[in-house]
């Protein structure tokens, strides 16, 4: 049972070479390490004057604003120009003051009573939007064994290749335009820099959202996948991968619950196969 | 054994202040309120035990200048006292005593500030009039890129290291305003000023009706 996290599981398999498995264990398909994915991320922040002077109350707790917006535009998918969707995590409220909380206020308001009054007025009048979207797996994004670099135990490490496709770039652009439209509709001002026409959209870097997955993909055929639908290696019947390596798509939501669901199914499958004497 | 326990607690406390001091010039902000409160508590304990705080990094003149700067950056008003009353000079002194890089920025900056005020008015900063003091600071604010106009903020989480291409006065201005504001709003006084209620326990999360009414009344969709 391999559950070392998607990339580390791929690394262990790729490093486990033998005469039977010259490309690495359970890698007859040559697909181990391939179709690496991460979640698409983009954030925006706005100042909303209508929220100034709002009576103070406790807004702490999970997610700041206690708001979450699942993907809403699936019916308009054809018009959007990109497949799949994203959700929005919304932040705001009277966050705990920290070191750095008001550095931007000095830049905007200078010093003195003016600064103090503005910080008081603006406290709680900022909103944050974080988009988290689904990536379509592509052939340009993968990890492989680095032929030159080893870890401190002398074991070769991975090197990564990562590229967003047009689908993710368009999705990120849609996030940015949506967040800006919400902020402006509330009568607010977008504080994060907006991408100029033709400019590069500030999409997260691959790996930044730390949802790396998809490197030991599942499928129905040993030709196009390393694992069967129960996360059992096609080539090695007593080998299972129980992390996000099996994913063939990247849900916009955090992958942990999907990993748990797949592990549950794998466990039931293992129990059943053992009862039948197949394992 | 009791003494040994107190000693190790003391070292831990100093480590906490030291860690924050080093993080300030190397890590990205924000840094937790808890880290800042260790610094406030260290200063408060010293005041309680010895009746007064003795600066560890700055000489009396430098410390007096920091006190004056704290009054100018966050003055007392009808709501709360100044950053000086909130312990900003002690906060800065304790942190600088644990980070030589930070200490050099502040001691160098304070020298620059006196030299600039002598050049303009023939007196060190603390002896000049309030109008003259504010004029120097306003000039540094403008030179540091501060502006009243709507300007996008830099991306969150960026490293905030001093830009050595700026004059020492501007580098100092950026640091003294940042740390004074940090000290004030992480102190009891600053938290009271903001009206931050803290994180309390609730059986369910409910937004008070008066808050909803206020927001709806001020919404761009109000009265529609």
């Amino acid at each position: 049972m391999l559950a070392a996290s998607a990339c580390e599981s791929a690394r262990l398999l790729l490093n486990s070479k033998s005469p039977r498995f010259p490309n690495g264990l359970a890698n007859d398909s040559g697909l181990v390490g391939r179709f690496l994915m991460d979640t698409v991320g983009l954030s925006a922040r706005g100042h909303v004057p209508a929220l100034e002077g709002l009576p103070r109350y406790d807004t702490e707790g999970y997610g700041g604003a206690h708001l979450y917006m699942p993907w809403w535009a699936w019916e308009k998918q054809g018009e959007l120009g990109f497949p799949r969707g994203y959700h929005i995590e919304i932040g705001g409220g009277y966050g705990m003051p920290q070191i750095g909380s008001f550095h931007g206020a000095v830049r905007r308001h200078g010093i003195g009573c003016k600064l103090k009054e503005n910080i008081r007025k603006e406290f709680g009048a900022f909103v944050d939007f974080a988009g988290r979207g689904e990536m379509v797996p592509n052939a340009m994004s993968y990890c492989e064994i680095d032929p030159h670099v080893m870890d401190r135990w002398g074991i070769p490490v991975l090197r990564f290749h990562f590229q967003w496709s047009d689908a993710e770039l368009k999705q990120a652009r849609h996030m940015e335009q949506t967040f800006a439209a919400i902020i402006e509709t509330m009568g607010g001002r977008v504080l994060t820099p907006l991408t100029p026409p033709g400019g590069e959209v500030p999409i997260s870097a691959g790996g930044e959202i730390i949802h790396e997955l998809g490197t030991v993909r599942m499928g129905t055929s040993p030709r196009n996948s390393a694992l069967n639908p129960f996360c059992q290696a096609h080539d090695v019947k007593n080998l299972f991968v129980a992390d996000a390596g099996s994913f063939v798509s990247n849900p916009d939501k955090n992958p942990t619950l999907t990993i748990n669901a797949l592990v549950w199914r794998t466990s039931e499958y293992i129990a059943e196969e053992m009862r039948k004497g197949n394992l | 054994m009791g003494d040994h326990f107190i000693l190790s607690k003391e070292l831990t406390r100093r480590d906490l202040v030291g860690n924050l001091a080093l993080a300030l010039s190397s890590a990205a902000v924000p840094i937790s309120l808890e880290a800042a409160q260790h610094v406030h508590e260290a200063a408060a304990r010293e005041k309680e035990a010895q009746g007064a705080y003795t600066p560890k990094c700055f000489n009396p003149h430098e410390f007096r200048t920091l006190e004056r700067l704290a009054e100018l950056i966050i003055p007392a008003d009808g709501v709360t006292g100044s950053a000086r009353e909130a312990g900003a000079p002690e906060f800065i002194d304790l942190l600088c005593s644990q980070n030589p890089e930070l200490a050099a920025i502040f001691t160098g900056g304070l020298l620059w500030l006196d030299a600039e005020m002598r050049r303009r008015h023939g007196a060190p900063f603390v002896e000049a009039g309030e109008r003259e003091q504010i004029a120097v600071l306003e000039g540094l604010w403008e030179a540091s890129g501060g502006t009243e106009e709507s300007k996008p903020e830099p991306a969150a989480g960026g490293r905030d290291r001093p830009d050595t291409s700026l004059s020492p006065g501007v580098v100092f201005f950026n640091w003294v305003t940042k740390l004074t504001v940090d000290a004030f709003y992480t102190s009891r006084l600053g938290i009271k000023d903001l009206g931050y209620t803290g994180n309390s326990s609730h059986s369910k999360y409910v937004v008070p009706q008066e808050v909803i009414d206020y927001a709806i009344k001020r919404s761009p969709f109000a009265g529609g």
Side-chain angles (χ1 to χ4, degrees), chain B residues 147-212:
Chain B
T147 167
E148 296 275 10
E149 287 161 14
S150 305
K151 245 177 73 170
E153 297 199 45
R159 282 162 70 90
D160 222 352
R161 289 187 79 87
D163 179 351
T164 46
S165 70
L166 297 172
S167 83
V170 171
V171 173
F172 171 67
F173 175 82
N174 286 337
W175 276 100
V176 76
T177 49
K178 279 195 299 191
L179 287 191
T180 300
V181 164
D182 287 335
F184 181 76
Y185 289 104
T186 56
S187 73
R188 282 180 191 282
L189 214 53
I191 287 169
K192 181 175 160 237
D193 190 284
L194 290 170
Y196 173 66
T197 63
N199 192 4
S200 47
S201 57
H202 305 276
S203 59
K204 57 181 175 179
Y205 182 77
V206 183
V207 178
Q209 191 57 44
E210 57 161 342
V211 172
I212 296 170

Side-chain angles (χ1 to χ4, degrees), chain A residues 165-222:
Chain A
S165 75
D166 205 38
E168 290 80 37
L169 296 174
K170 281 182 173 158
Q171 187 189 63
R173 175 85 66 175
H174 190 267
M175 290 179 184
E176 186 182 51
Q177 288 167 349
T178 302
F179 304 160
I182 297 172
I183 293 164
E184 281 160 11
T185 305
M186 288 193 289
R189 186 165 62 85
V190 182
L191 296 171
T192 34
L194 288 172
T195 312
E200 271 182 43
V201 68
I203 191 171
S204 54
E208 193 180 330
I209 311 296
I210 53 170
H211 292 164
E212 58 276 14
L213 39 87
T215 48
V216 199
R217 56 175 17 210
M218 65 159 76
T220 48
S221 160

Side-chain angles (χ1 to χ4, degrees), chain B:
Chain B
M1 181 153 176
D3 285 345
H4 181 76
F5 180 66
I6 290 166
L7 180 64
S8 57
K9 256 175 85 183
E10 203 59 50
L11 283 171
T12 307
R13 214 174 278 143
R14 190 175 306 157
D15 288 346
L16 289 167
V17 175
N19 288 346
L20 172 58
L22 294 174
L24 280 173
S25 56
S26 59
V29 291
I31 302 170
S32 76
L33 175 63
E34 199 187 356
Q37 288 185 335
H38 287 300
V39 185
H40 287 298
E41 280 165 22
R45 265 193 308 274
E46 183 179 328
K47 276 184 196 166
E48 202 184 335
Q50 290 163 29
Y53 177 85
T54 311
K56 323 240 159 330
C57 178
F58 301 109
N59 67 35
H61 171 75
E62 290 167 333
F63 195 74
R64 236 183 356 263
T65 309
L66 280 177
E67 288 179 328
R68 182 65 191 136
L69 286 166
E71 288 170 347
L72 293 166
I73 295 165
I74 305 274
D77 63 7
V79 180
T80 50
S82 70
R84 178 183 174 175
E85 289 166 69
E90 293 85 344
F91 187 90
I92 293 171
D93 178 71
L94 267 172
L95 290 172
C96 285
S97 74
Q98 301 293 314
N99 181 339
E101 192 187 348
L102 210 55
I105 291 168
F106 273 86
T107 46
L110 289 164
L111 274 172
W112 181 92
L113 197 62
D114 274 345
E116 179 63 18
M117 197 57 99
R118 278 202 188 89
R119 191 181 66 76
R120 292 190 193 189
H121 302 289
F125 186 82
V126 281
E127 287 169 29
E130 179 158 327
R131 185 195 298 263
E132 288 74 27
Q133 291 172 334
I134 289 173
V136 171
L137 296 178
E138 291 281 351
L140 288 172
W141 176 61
E142 276 160 33
S144 75
T147 167
E148 296 275 10
E149 287 161 14
S150 305
K151 245 177 73 170
E153 297 199 45
R159 282 162 70 90
D160 222 352
R161 289 187 79 87
D163 179 351
T164 46
S165 70
L166 297 172
S167 83
V170 171
V171 173
F172 171 67
F173 175 82
N174 286 337
W175 276 100
V176 76
T177 49
K178 279 195 299 191
L179 287 191
T180 300
V181 164
D182 287 335
F184 181 76
Y185 289 104
T186 56
S187 73
R188 282 180 191 282
L189 214 53
I191 287 169
K192 181 175 160 237
D193 190 284
L194 290 170
Y196 173 66
T197 63
N199 192 4
S200 47
S201 57
H202 305 276
S203 59
K204 57 181 175 179
Y205 182 77
V206 183
V207 178
Q209 191 57 44
E210 57 161 342
V211 172
I212 296 170
D213 294 343
Y214 181 95
I216 288 175
K217 209 170 84 190
R218 287 170 56 94
S219 147
F221 307 108

Side-chain angles (χ1 to χ4, degrees), chain A residues 37-103:
Chain A
M37 289 170 278
D38 188 20
T39 299
V40 178
L42 185 136
S43 299
R45 181 172 171 78
H47 171 226
V48 181
L51 296 174
E52 286 175 354
L54 202 67
R56 306 295 202 240
Y57 67 108
D58 181 7
T59 59
E60 296 286 26
Y62 179 75
H66 300 254
L67 284 171
Y68 176 93
M69 197 185 292
W71 181 231
W72 68 96
W74 69 93
E75 286 171 320
K76 290 198 294 181
Q77 202 81 57
E79 304 157 33
L80 295 176
F82 62 88
R84 321 293 173 90
Y86 62 90
H87 69 258
I88 310 173
E89 296 166 17
I90 301 161
Y94 303 107
M96 184 183 281
Q98 301 181 90
I99 289 175
S101 291
F102 303 105
H103 291 177

Side-chain angles (χ1 to χ4, degrees), chain A:
Chain A
M1 184 69 73
L2 199 49
S5 85
C7 296
E8 188 65 13
S9 287
R11 179 185 172 210
L12 282 161
L13 294 172
L14 291 169
N15 272 327
S16 302
K17 289 180 185 164
S18 66
R20 163 65 186 89
F21 295 106
N23 299 322
L25 190 63
N27 192 24
D28 289 355
S29 65
L31 289 170
V32 173
R34 298 273 142 179
F35 300 109
L36 171 66
M37 289 170 278
D38 188 20
T39 299
V40 178
L42 185 136
S43 299
R45 181 172 171 78
H47 171 226
V48 181
L51 296 174
E52 286 175 354
L54 202 67
R56 306 295 202 240
Y57 67 108
D58 181 7
T59 59
E60 296 286 26
Y62 179 75
H66 300 254
L67 284 171
Y68 176 93
M69 197 185 292
W71 181 231
W72 68 96
W74 69 93
E75 286 171 320
K76 290 198 294 181
Q77 202 81 57
E79 304 157 33
L80 295 176
F82 62 88
R84 321 293 173 90
Y86 62 90
H87 69 258
I88 310 173
E89 296 166 17
I90 301 161
Y94 303 107
M96 184 183 281
Q98 301 181 90
I99 289 175
S101 291
F102 303 105
H103 291 177
V106 176
R107 198 163 46 246
R108 288 194 308 278
H109 305 301
I111 60 156
C113 287
K114 185 173 47 139
L115 171 67
K116 201 177 176 186
E117 281 159 18
N118 274 298
I119 287 177
R120 199 180 292 140
K121 197 173 76 177
E122 291 174 352
F123 187 52
F126 295 95
V127 287
D128 294 281
F129 297 88
R132 294 288 182 265
E134 182 169 346
M135 175 187 181
V136 180
N138 70 64
M140 294 96 74
S141 300
Y142 60 97
C143 56
E144 61 182 348
I145 297 299
D146 191 313
H148 308 297
V149 183
M150 285 182 276
D151 67 14
R152 72 172 102 154
W153 295 280
I155 302 168
V157 303
L158 291 172
R159 66 179 177 191
F160 293 92
H161 307 264
F162 198 89
Q163 223 172 298
W164 298 117
S165 75
D166 205 38
E168 290 80 37
L169 296 174
K170 281 182 173 158
Q171 187 189 63
R173 175 85 66 175
H174 190 267
M175 290 179 184
E176 186 182 51
Q177 288 167 349
T178 302
F179 304 160
I182 297 172
I183 293 164
E184 281 160 11
T185 305
M186 288 193 289
R189 186 165 62 85
V190 182
L191 296 171
T192 34
L194 288 172
T195 312
E200 271 182 43
V201 68
I203 191 171
S204 54
E208 193 180 330
I209 311 296
I210 53 170
H211 292 164
E212 58 276 14
L213 39 87
T215 48
V216 199
R217 56 175 17 210
M218 65 159 76
T220 48
S221 160
R223 283 195 316 281
N224 61 21
S225 58
L227 308 174
N228 75 12
F230 297 97
C231 300
Q232 179 183 32
H234 288 300
D235 313 332
V236 187
K237 294 298 172 202
N238 63 344
L239 174 66
F240 291 81
V241 176
D243 51 37
S246 65
F247 287 29
V248 290
S249 170
N250 178 355
D252 64 276
K253 197 67 201 80
N254 309 47
T256 305
L257 291 178
T258 311
I259 295 171
N260 291 352
L262 289 171
V263 168
W264 191 326
R265 189 164 72 152
T266 296
S267 308
E268 287 179 341
Y269 174 79
I270 290 171
E272 189 56 28
E273 289 295 290
M274 286 177 79
R275 258 196 297 279
K276 289 181 187 164
N278 293 339
L279 275 176

